[in-house]
Amino acid sequence: MKKQAVKLEDVAAVAGVSKTTVSRVLNHRGYLSQATIDKVHQAMQELHYRPNVIARQLFQQKTNLIGLVFPTVDNPFFAQLEAQLDQELYRRGYRVLMGNSQNNPEREEAYLRQLLNGQVDGLIVGAHNEGIKQYRDTQLPVVSIERWVSKDIPVVAADNYAGGKMATQRLLDDGCQHIIHTNYPHGLPSPNLERRRAYEEMMQARHRPAITYEVNFDSTDEEKRAIFNRLFTEHPEVDGIFADNDTNASLIIQVARKRGRHIPHDLKVVGFDGANMTRTLLPELTTVQQPIDEMAKRAVDLLQQRIAGGQTTGSVQLPVQLIDGGTA
Amino acid sequence: MKKQAVKLEDVAAVAGVSKTTVSRVLNHRGYLSQATIDKVHQAMQELHYRPNVIARQLFQQKTNLIGLVFPTVDNPFFAQLEAQLDQELYRRGYRVLMGNSQNNPEREEAYLRQLLNGQVDGLIVGAHNEGIKQYRDTQLPVVSIERWVSKDIPVVAADNYAGGKMATQRLLDDGCQHIIHTNYPHGLPSPNLERRRAYEEMMQARHRPAITYEVNFDSTDEEKRAIFNRLFTEHPEVDGIFADNDTNASLIIQVARKRGRHIPHDLKVVGFDGANMTRTLLPELTTVQQPIDEMAKRAVDLLQQRIAGGQTTGSVQLPVQLIDGGTA
DNA sequence: TTGAAAGCGCTAACAA
DNA sequence: TTGTTAGCGCTTTCAA
């Protein structure tokens, strides 16, 4: 057990005062004479003193750390979301403990097991696994983003249903006769499915078939391209696609072009998410944009309320917006 | 000061043993009779005991946390890099403390001030600011990625010089007569500048002018587009561009198309980075790919050596690879 | 095979 | 205005 080079006690010794006094100087608390303050500061400088954060955390039972549990950060949506969460949390004095689950339930559980042991003051989650009971058992403040976790955990989400309607409506307005949708496999109780529900309801209302191709979040690009190729083979008549996220929309466009389709002439495509990186790399994509930065902010607001003890406000739903690119 | 609901002492009481024994059961250490082990386990279950990580950290003077200091995670290169670092660190039992500096020196210093106080066992940095002396003052193991920090901090980087040559060579091979480069403003001692140096040397060797447009990392897309528009106005003769990163390459292509250029017919473009997200969203971009995953792995290897006490191996340079898209 | 006691570095009652 | 003392929850010598 190596000891930290210089501790508060050493500073006290050098300054010729008690540990309490040094602690007071450190935290600007209580009455101190200027002379003492100076003495202590000087001793600190001399010794290059750095207060030990862990000891403080142990005493205060508070780490000022917030855990982020998401599938991965290597994705336009989550990258922007986590960056913004970090930003918002930083402003409020928190630091971020990152936990990418890779959609692996074991890994998500492993993170939780650790984090719930006093390692963090709160959790913001948006991973894709279900049935992780630990979320329910804990006292820790938790807020979820775009994912339903458990009854008493508030969810911050975009208005996915409205977004699904917008996207479908746009394709209908464009005159598309054969619209196909992509989404996750059924079974994940994600707000994402609201996009699908909106699509299906609109198609049914018009007595058109609702066809959804299911694509796993963590398939490789090649696997996804294969699915989209199958889509075009099985449905050569398709003239409009509403993809449940921009990455898929991009892959669909690539596959379609390879097959000789012209966009938007031959085929119209609408994506979903509208994250920074997609807007930069693929501004021509028409998409339903989620207010990612605002979602981050609201999640942090909610979390802070919970940490402060408010057994608070329920879930939040934020409006989305159709961005005109040119692919629809 | 709220106390943790149930602690080791409570378990000991219920199990009718000492704290020591419970601790031993917890850590599988020392001699224990099966009967005792069972008793303790049962008590733990009964009380829903969760060991306090912070207390353990204080005693062990070790947090199993690694700090990551980068400009932002909302960028294809850093998103992949941080995701991969998280992955590699996780496998070795570490968790990640995220610190996005936003290229803000104050913020970088603030992170460091905190992290260096025993909050993390090591640091992996790749932020863009210089002159942060704290890196030099600390005993903490530090490894840098793609950025020169201080004499005794090892750097993991791609072979940027070779990459710069590859890109320039490709454009020359394509028959480009007027090649322009984009890069950061001079002054940041980043390995990135090796890309520029390679370009300039090759141009000079052929007695052609070397022209570099400087683009800040944290300019907005609009500001960047403005610069690239200026580039085309000032140099209508340009027929090849070597962009120092894929995002800029993408913006350049967008601007060029808006101005009626046809790629690669009229204008050839080579980017740099080849991160996952760019490959997915923009596979048609010809680019020099950095081995990002490998860089992450090597950085973690180096860091682990340092933590283990090895006053180790120096810096590492990894090979890059030209990926054929179609834009050059 | 088990326990008592000291201590990791810091903070806060309480007293002086 | 300052110091004494106890304690945050855990682990580990050392002794039994």
Side-chain angles (χ1 to χ4, degrees):
Chain A
M1 221 63 350
K2 69 176 173 205
K3 299 188 192 177
Q4 172 169 309
V6 21
K7 51 182 142 176
L8 189 137
E9 198 173 347
D10 303 323
V11 176
V14 169
V17 298
S18 73
K19 296 197 306 177
T20 313
T21 302
V22 179
S23 173
R24 285 205 184 99
V25 173
L26 214 50
N27 299 293
H28 311 97
R29 244 194 278 292
Y31 301 97
L32 277 333
S33 74
Q34 191 57 47
T36 311
I37 295 179
D38 294 343
K39 258 192 312 190
V40 171
H41 274 144
Q42 204 185 327
M44 284 179 178
Q45 297 254 311
E46 218 168 280
L47 299 174
H48 292 291
Y49 173 68
R50 307 184 140 285
N52 181 308
V53 180
I54 303 297
R56 189 178 278 165
Q57 290 179 354
L58 175 59
F59 183 85
Q60 296 182 158
Q61 301 288 86
K62 187 167 182 335
T63 60
N64 296 310
L65 250 37
I66 301 296
L68 257 39
V69 182
F70 291 97
T72 177
V73 76
D74 191 13
N75 160 293
F77 178 79
F78 291 119
Q80 180 178 348
L81 186 64
E82 294 198 38
Q84 198 63 31
L85 286 169
D86 180 46
Q87 186 94 315
E88 291 290 338
L89 288 165
Y90 180 87
R91 290 183 35 220
R92 294 163 162 89
Y94 291 103
R95 298 299 176 267
V96 163
L97 226 158
M98 185 161 126
N100 296 139
S101 70
Q102 306 291 341
N103 277 328
N104 178 342
E106 281 151 45
R107 197 154 156 186
E108 186 168 343
E109 292 212 50
Y111 270 122
L112 289 175
R113 211 174 313 123
Q114 279 222 338
L115 299 184
L116 297 179
N117 287 204
Q119 174 106 268
V120 298
D121 294 347
L123 232 42
I124 300 181
V125 304
H128 279 197
N129 305 306
E130 355 165 28
I132 308 241
K133 50 187 151 316
Q134 280 151 302
Y135 288 117
R136 258 172 295 135
D137 292 352
T138 182
Q139 301 302 327
L140 204 73
V142 181
V143 171
S144 153
I145 293 185
E146 286 275 332
R147 174 173 184 252
W148 191 86
V149 181
S150 106
K151 198 155 59 68
D152 31 44
I153 292 180
V155 180
V156 174
D159 190 343
N160 288 285
Y161 184 78
K165 288 192 76 166
M166 275 180 201
T168 312
Q169 187 66 55
R170 172 52 167 271
L171 293 169
L172 290 167
D173 289 350
D174 282 350
C176 294
Q177 297 296 318
H178 304 280
I179 304 173
I180 292 182
H181 178 54
T182 71
N183 208 307
Y184 298 141
H186 255 118
L188 299 173
S190 143
N192 212 337
L193 288 183
E194 291 294 292
R195 303 175 195 170
R196 176 174 184 165
R197 192 166 67 83
Y199 158 77
E200 288 175 347
E201 287 184 13
M202 289 192 75
M203 296 305 279
Q204 273 150 24
R206 280 159 188 76
H207 307 293
R208 307 263 183 85
I211 303 172
T212 298
Y213 274 73
E214 300 190 344
V215 185
N216 272 309
F217 176 81
D218 44 5
S219 298
T220 65
D221 284 358
E222 277 328 301
E223 291 167 336
K224 291 178 183 172
R225 286 196 175 96
I227 293 175
F228 300 139
N229 260 308
R230 190 158 57 72
L231 183 159
F232 286 111
T233 303
E234 293 173 352
H235 293 280
E237 76 282 8
V238 62
D239 57 0
I241 298 184
F242 163 31
D244 65 320
N245 67 261
D246 290 342
T247 304
N248 283 348
S250 169
L251 292 172
I252 286 167
I253 290 171
Q254 292 164 29
V255 167
R257 286 201 176 124
K258 271 237 175 71
R259 297 178 71 107
R261 295 293 203 108
H262 290 254
I263 296 161
H265 184 67
D266 262 346
L267 173 75
K268 320 226 186 277
V269 177
V270 178
F272 210 106
D273 283 349
N276 290 159
M277 255 180 277
T278 350
R279 299 307 303 148
T280 297
L281 296 174
L282 220 61
E284 72 267 27
L285 180 65
T286 295
T287 190
V288 177
Q289 186 170 48
Q290 303 200 57
I292 303 181
D293 292 354
E294 177 69 13
M295 287 162 72
K297 184 173 179 319
R298 297 296 283 274
V300 173
D301 285 346
L302 274 179
L303 189 67
Q304 208 175 18
Q305 284 176 42
R306 292 233 147 183
I307 289 175
Q311 243 352 287
T312 53
T313 357
S315 299
V316 171
Q317 197 169 54
L318 299 170
V320 296
Q321 181 187 173
L322 191 79
I323 305 266
D324 271 308
T327 60
Chain B
M1 222 66 348
K2 69 177 169 199
K3 298 188 196 177
Q4 172 171 307
V6 21
K7 52 180 140 177
L8 189 138
E9 198 174 346
D10 303 323
V11 176
V14 169
V17 298
S18 74
K19 294 198 304 178
T20 312
T21 302
V22 178
S23 173
R24 286 207 183 97
V25 173
L26 215 48
N27 299 293
H28 310 97
R29 243 193 277 294
Y31 301 98
L32 276 334
S33 74
Q34 191 58 48
T36 311
I37 295 179
D38 293 344
K39 258 193 312 190
V40 171
H41 275 143
Q42 203 186 327
M44 285 180 177
Q45 296 254 311
E46 217 169 278
L47 299 173
H48 293 291
Y49 172 67
R50 308 184 139 283
N52 182 310
V53 179
I54 303 298
R56 186 178 283 166
Q57 290 179 355
L58 176 59
F59 183 85
Q60 299 182 155
Q61 301 288 86
K62 186 165 183 339
T63 60
N64 295 311
L65 250 37
I66 301 295
L68 257 39
V69 182
F70 290 97
T72 176
V73 75
D74 192 13
N75 160 294
F77 178 80
F78 291 118
Q80 182 178 347
L81 187 63
E82 294 197 37
Q84 200 62 31
L85 286 168
D86 180 47
Q87 187 93 314
E88 291 289 339
L89 288 165
Y90 179 88
R91 289 183 35 220
R92 293 162 162 89
Y94 291 103
R95 297 299 175 267
V96 162
L97 224 158
M98 184 160 128
N100 296 139
S101 71
Q102 306 289 341
N103 277 328
N104 178 343
E106 282 152 47
R107 198 155 153 183
E108 187 169 344
E109 293 212 50
Y111 271 122
L112 289 175
R113 209 173 314 123
Q114 280 222 340
L115 299 186
L116 298 179
N117 287 203
Q119 173 107 266
V120 297
D121 294 347
L123 231 41
I124 300 180
V125 305
H128 279 197
N129 306 304
E130 350 166 33
I132 307 240
K133 50 189 150 317
Q134 281 151 300
Y135 288 117
R136 258 173 296 134
D137 292 353
T138 182
Q139 301 303 328
L140 205 71
V142 181
V143 171
S144 154
I145 293 186
E146 285 276 331
R147 173 173 185 251
W148 191 87
V149 180
S150 109
K151 199 157 57 70
D152 31 44
I153 292 180
V155 181
V156 174
D159 190 343
N160 288 285
Y161 184 77
K165 288 191 77 167
M166 275 181 202
T168 312
Q169 188 65 55
R170 171 53 167 269
L171 293 169
L172 289 167
D173 289 350
D174 283 350
C176 294
Q177 297 297 319
H178 304 281
I179 303 174
I180 292 183
H181 178 55
T182 72
N183 208 306
Y184 297 140
H186 256 118
L188 298 173
S190 143
N192 213 336
L193 287 183
E194 291 295 293
R195 302 173 195 172
R196 177 173 182 165
R197 193 166 67 81
Y199 158 76
E200 289 175 347
E201 287 185 13
M202 290 192 76
M203 297 306 278
Q204 273 151 23
R206 280 160 189 74
H207 307 292
R208 309 263 183 84
I211 303 170
T212 298
Y213 274 73
E214 300 189 341
V215 185
N216 273 307
F217 176 82
D218 44 6
S219 298
T220 65
D221 284 358
E222 277 328 301
E223 290 167 337
K224 291 179 183 172
R225 285 197 174 96
I227 293 175
F228 300 139
N229 262 306
R230 190 159 57 70
L231 182 158
F232 285 111
T233 303
E234 293 173 352
H235 294 280
E237 76 282 9
V238 61
D239 57 0
I241 297 184
F242 164 32
D244 65 319
N245 67 262
D246 291 341
T247 306
N248 283 349
S250 168
L251 292 172
I252 286 168
I253 290 172
Q254 291 163 30
V255 167
R257 286 199 175 127
K258 270 237 176 69
R259 298 177 72 106
R261 296 292 202 109
H262 290 254
I263 296 161
H265 185 66
D266 261 346
L267 174 74
K268 322 229 186 274
V269 177
V270 178
F272 209 106
D273 283 349
N276 290 157
M277 253 180 279
T278 350
R279 299 306 306 149
T280 297
L281 295 174
L282 221 61
E284 72 268 28
L285 180 65
T286 295
T287 191
V288 177
Q289 186 169 49
Q290 303 200 59
I292 303 181
D293 292 354
E294 179 68 13
M295 289 163 71
K297 185 172 178 319
R298 298 296 283 272
V300 172
D301 285 346
L302 274 179
L303 188 68
Q304 209 175 18
Q305 284 177 42
R306 294 232 146 184
I307 289 176
Q311 244 352 286
T312 55
T313 355
S315 299
V316 171
Q317 197 169 51
L318 300 170
V320 297
Q321 179 187 178
L322 191 77
I323 304 268
D324 270 307
T327 61

